[in-house]
Amino acid sequence: MEDEGEHMKNRENKIVVAVDESEESMHALSWCLGNLSSSKNTSNTLVLLYVKPPPVHSTFDAAGYMFSSDVVATMEKYGTDMVNSVMQRAEAVYRNFHTNAHVHIERLVGRGDPKDVICNTVEKLRADTLVMGSHGYGFLKRTLVGSVSDYCAKHVECPVVIVKHPASA
């Protein structure tokens, strides 16, 4: 029983926050920071997860286009620049947010289909919570395009918080 008490004393919450270029994801991060537990016995690890699209190879893609190595290199550099930009924005949100909670930030970049990468990362990390922004797509667009947040909410084991941006609420 004492071991269980010690475990409860030093509880760590692992929260995955999916971030991208959108204002919605930054709003979800702000919401998350504002709602963290501030217990002295709880530390929070926020995993800022950005998902890059699958790599483009210098061969034919699905549409039959051939990309030269220069185009592929340029696209890769753009992807790296985008990751850095999003992570810098997310870290600025964190720095500008005054919270009493014990928070540790980790940056993680995945590659592939966002819904699969997010679900796999949450499972692999054994996250306690997944926080995502909602792009506020209407029924028709969500039906045609699909919703990453809807998919993740149905396929991960932990609680999922989908935060609507005030403009889309």
Side-chain angles (χ1 to χ4, degrees):
M1 258 337 231
E2 238 175 272
D3 287 341
E4 190 175 316
E6 274 300 308
H7 175 70
M8 292 307 288
K9 270 188 185 175
N10 298 317
R11 171 90 173 101
E12 179 192 35
N13 284 326
K14 189 165 284 192
I15 304 162
V16 174
V17 181
V19 293
D20 62 18
E21 301 80 16
S22 71
E23 286 301 317
E24 292 84 0
S25 75
M26 294 302 141
H27 178 72
L29 175 59
S30 293
W31 181 92
C32 181
L33 289 165
N35 288 284
L36 286 174
S37 168
S38 60
S39 167
K40 290 181 187 176
N41 299 329
T42 303
S43 68
N44 294 295
T45 297
L46 287 185
V47 179
L48 304 175
L49 174 61
Y50 180 87
V51 181
K52 290 171 71 171
V56 175
H57 300 289
S58 60
T59 58
F60 291 97
D61 74 350
Y65 295 105
M66 183 162 175
F67 293 103
S68 73
S69 59
D70 290 342
V71 171
V72 172
T74 300
M75 292 170 73
E76 282 298 314
K77 182 180 179 333
Y78 174 77
T80 299
D81 291 346
M82 185 60 69
V83 169
N84 291 334
S85 172
V86 169
M87 290 299 182
Q88 287 171 357
R89 284 181 61 213
E91 288 172 1
V93 168
Y94 168 70
R95 281 191 309 273
N96 292 329
F97 205 95
H98 302 293
T99 178
N100 295 328
H102 299 90
V103 181
H104 174 71
I105 299 287
E106 293 179 6
R107 295 166 52 154
L108 187 59
V109 177
R111 183 179 283 264
D113 184 352
K115 63 182 184 271
D116 295 329
V117 173
I118 293 168
C119 290
N120 291 336
T121 300
V122 166
E123 182 180 330
K124 181 177 168 186
L125 296 176
R126 295 184 177 167
D128 296 292
T129 308
L130 170 61
V131 177
M132 305 177 74
S134 171
H135 290 279
Y137 296 145
F139 174 75
L140 184 60
K141 187 168 186 179
R142 196 171 52 248
T143 302
L144 295 173
V145 176
S147 166
V148 174
S149 57
D150 286 347
Y151 180 90
C152 292
K154 292 174 185 168
H155 290 89
V156 299
E157 297 294 322
C158 69
V160 178
V161 178
I162 301 172
V163 181
K164 286 186 174 184
H165 194 277
S168 66

